[in-house]
Amino acid sequence: MNMMTGASPWERLIRPDRVHGSLYTDPEIFEAELKNIWYRTWVYVGHESEVPNANDYVVKSIGPQSVIMTRDEQGKVNLLLNRCSHRGNQVCSYERGNARSFTCPFHSWTFANDGRLVGYAFPDGYEGQDKSQLALGRVTRVASYRGFVFGSFAADGPTLKEHLGGAAETIDRLVRTSPEGEVEITAGFLKHRVKANWKFILENECDGYHPAFVHTSIFGVADSMIGKLYGGASTALTRDYGNGHTEIDLRPEFRKRDAPMSWFGTSEDRLPDYTARMKAAHGDTAAREIMIDGTPHVMIFPNLFIAEIQMCVIQPLGVDDSVQHVTALQFKGAPDLNRRLRQQTMGSVGPAGFLLADDSEMYERCHRGVLARNPEWIFLGRGEKRERQDELGFTVGHVTDEVPSRGIWTHYRKLMEPN
C-alpha cells in the first residue's frame, strides 16, 4: 500500500472533488476501516420491534462480527458478541428465536441472554473460577433512537444523538408516517450479496444521478413517475447532514403535486383505513402534510439506508464482499398500507425484483472497473460549483449532484485520520 506511507496519507487519497481508487480495493485500507469506523463509531444493529418480548433474540452484525440482540427478562435490550468466551465457537446458531440462555455446541458452556456465564459442563475442573470474568463479550455502548438500536465498541465518543445530528429529523419524519408513531420491522429480511466494496453501496444509496439511466427499464415497464423525480428539471435536492449522513429530499416535487400518497404512487382514496387513522392521529391538516411529504430517502452513516418503502442494512465482509439486508418498512396501525409496502418491496428488491438487481450489477461493475490503474481517481465533482446552504445550514444541491458523496468522504477522512 505505497499510497499509505508518509505523514498525511489520507490527504493524498481524498481530495475535495475526487478520491483515489485504492480506497475501494486495498485490503489494508479495509482493515483500517474496520478499526476506525465499524469498531469505533455508532453502527445501526437492529430495531426494538424485532425483539418485542422478554427473551426474544435476533442475530445481527457490526461489520463482519456476529452480534446477538436480545431482550432479557428485565426488558433490557443487549448487544452480545456471538463468541463463546471459552474457545471462540459461536454460541447462537439460529437467526432468531426466544431463549433464556445460549449453550455453546462445542463444550456446552451456557450463557444467560444478558451475557452472564451461568454454567459449564463438568464443573469440577473449574474450582474457584470466577464466572463473572468469562461472560460473553458485549458491544460497549448501546443506544436507541425511535426504536432503532445502535451500538459502538468505543468506550468514549459522541453520543448517539450527537452522531445522528440533523439526520435524526429524517427518522422522526419516518415514524410520523405511522398512525401510532412507530415503525415495525416484522416483514423479514432478504440478503443480497455482491462482490463489491461496501462504500460503492454507501455512496449509491443517495446518488440521484443514476436512477434515470440504471433504472430506466423498470420505470418504463411500470409506467412509473419516479424517473421524472431524478431528471434535469426536478426540484428535488441532495443534502449533506454532516457526520456522513446524506439524503435525497424529494419533498419539493411531492409538494408541487399537492396530492397525498403520490410519494407511494397511489392516492388517499385507495387507502381509506390508513387515511382515516392518520387524520384521527394527527388532525386533517397535519395528516395531509405528512401524506404529501412521504417517507425519507436517507443514508445514516455507515450502514442504515431508509428508502421510502424499505430499509437496507449494509454489512461489509471483505474488501470486495458485501451483503445488503433488505426488508419492507411496516407502520404500526396501518395494515392496508403495510400490505402494499410488502408487495412493492418484493417487486423492487425481492429475488425477482428489478431495482436492487440493477444496482447490484452497478456495484460489481464499479468494483471490477476501479481495479484498473489508470485513471487512478474517482471524480465526484458534479454540482460542486452550485451547491449551497439550506435554511438549517446543511449543504444541498440538485438531486443529480454529488453532494452526498463529497459529504461522505469528508466525514470518512475525519474518522480515518490519526488522532
Side-chain angles (χ1 to χ4, degrees):
M1 188 169 60
N2 57 0
M3 288 290 295
M4 296 299 296
T5 60
S8 183
W10 302 104
E11 184 177 0
R12 295 202 301 275
L13 293 169
I14 302 171
R15 299 177 183 174
D17 65 350
R18 65 197 68 204
V19 296
H20 196 266
S22 63
L23 288 164
Y24 301 92
T25 61
D26 191 316
E28 290 186 41
I29 290 178
F30 177 75
E31 292 301 319
E33 290 170 350
L34 294 181
K35 176 182 176 183
N36 294 308
I37 297 176
W38 293 92
Y39 301 156
R40 183 174 294 174
T41 191
W42 287 100
V43 176
Y44 172 74
V45 179
H47 194 272
E48 291 179 9
S49 63
E50 297 179 81
V51 287
N53 305 308
N55 303 318
D56 282 350
Y57 71 87
V58 61
V59 174
K60 296 293 186 176
S61 64
I62 293 181
Q65 293 200 46
S66 179
V67 173
I68 313 169
M69 185 170 78
T70 72
R71 188 180 293 274
D72 62 30
E73 293 183 345
Q74 285 68 49
K76 180 183 177 183
V77 174
N78 304 276
L79 299 182
L80 310 173
L81 300 188
N82 192 5
R83 177 191 187 278
C84 182
S85 54
H86 176 218
R87 299 279 286 277
N89 204 292
Q90 291 190 328
V91 300
C92 187
S93 303
Y94 300 97
E95 290 191 356
R96 62 188 313 113
N98 183 280
R100 288 185 172 87
S101 63
F102 303 100
T103 298
C104 178
F106 197 7
H107 296 100
S108 203
W109 283 34
T110 299
F111 302 86
N113 61 15
D114 61 3
R116 291 175 296 115
L117 174 63
V118 295
Y120 21 53
F122 309 144
D124 55 305
Y126 294 108
E127 296 87 347
Q129 178 63 51
D130 182 359
K131 289 191 181 74
S132 68
Q133 301 302 308
L134 292 169
L136 291 178
R138 306 179 66 89
V139 177
T140 310
R141 290 190 294 163
V142 181
S144 177
Y145 186 78
R146 296 283 195 161
F148 291 84
V149 179
F150 294 76
S152 172
F153 284 113
D156 302 304
T159 64
L160 176 59
K161 184 177 180 180
E162 290 168 337
H163 169 72
L164 292 174
E169 186 273 335
T170 64
I171 299 178
D172 296 339
R173 199 189 314 160
L174 176 70
V175 301
R176 282 200 299 270
T177 312
S178 163
E180 299 186 28
E182 293 183 36
V183 171
E184 296 182 313
I185 306 302
T186 55
F189 281 84
L190 297 164
K191 299 178 184 179
H192 295 259
R193 192 167 185 173
V194 291
K195 294 294 293 180
N197 186 266
W198 67 277
K199 297 187 295 300
F200 283 122
I201 306 172
L202 173 70
E203 291 182 274
N204 184 75
E205 307 301 32
C206 286
D207 173 68
Y209 195 21
H210 79 277
F213 317 111
V214 175
H215 304 308
T216 184
S217 58
I218 181 58
F219 292 160
V221 169
D223 193 25
S224 172
M225 57 85 181
I226 296 176
K228 295 178 181 178
L229 300 175
Y230 298 94
S234 175
T235 58
L237 304 170
T238 49
R239 179 174 288 108
D240 171 17
Y241 282 107
N243 292 345
H245 312 313
T246 59
E247 178 186 27
I248 292 177
D249 188 353
L250 301 172
R251 288 175 295 174
E253 283 291 310
F254 297 141
R255 289 171 180 175
K256 280 197 310 183
R257 297 171 189 187
D258 195 31
M261 302 309 295
S262 70
W263 67 270
F264 192 50
T266 188
S267 58
E268 58 183 326
D269 61 340
R270 299 187 68 180
L271 292 167
D273 182 64
Y274 173 69
T275 300
R277 293 186 187 212
M278 287 293 286
K279 289 179 177 179
H282 300 286
D284 290 1
T285 300
R288 177 181 173 81
E289 292 174 353
I290 293 168
M291 291 191 293
I292 288 174
D293 283 353
T295 51
H297 186 112
V298 61
M299 182 69 229
I300 304 293
F301 186 90
N303 69 325
L304 173 60
F305 176 41
I306 297 167
E308 289 99 12
I309 67 171
Q310 64 233 355
M311 188 178 83
C312 171
V313 183
I314 303 171
Q315 180 187 16
L317 297 179
V319 68
D320 62 350
D321 191 4
S322 306
V323 178
Q324 296 168 278
H325 302 256
V326 185
T327 188
L329 288 165
Q330 301 284 271
F331 297 102
K332 192 171 183 179
D336 52 345
L337 176 61
N338 288 340
R339 177 176 54 82
R340 292 191 175 208
L341 285 164
R342 293 192 298 271
Q343 292 173 338
Q344 288 201 20
T345 295
M346 288 299 291
S348 60
V349 299
F354 289 96
L355 285 175
L356 195 55
D358 289 341
D359 286 328
S360 296
E361 177 69 10
M362 293 302 105
Y363 307 149
E364 294 193 345
R365 289 173 66 95
C366 282
H367 194 100
R368 292 195 300 268
V370 82
L371 290 168
R373 301 184 66 84
N374 186 23
E376 295 183 57
W377 295 87
I378 303 292
F379 181 64
L380 301 172
R382 179 173 174 79
E384 186 181 20
K385 304 301 182 184
R386 63 182 179 185
E387 63 184 34
R388 64 187 190 280
Q389 305 299 302
D390 68 8
E391 64 278 8
L392 296 176
F394 301 120
T395 302
V396 296
H398 186 261
V399 68
T400 63
D401 288 349
E402 289 166 326
V403 169
S405 286
R406 291 192 291 272
I408 287 168
W409 285 107
T410 296
H411 184 61
Y412 176 98
R413 178 177 164 183
K414 290 178 182 176
L415 295 176
M416 299 293 282
E417 290 269 26
N419 293 328

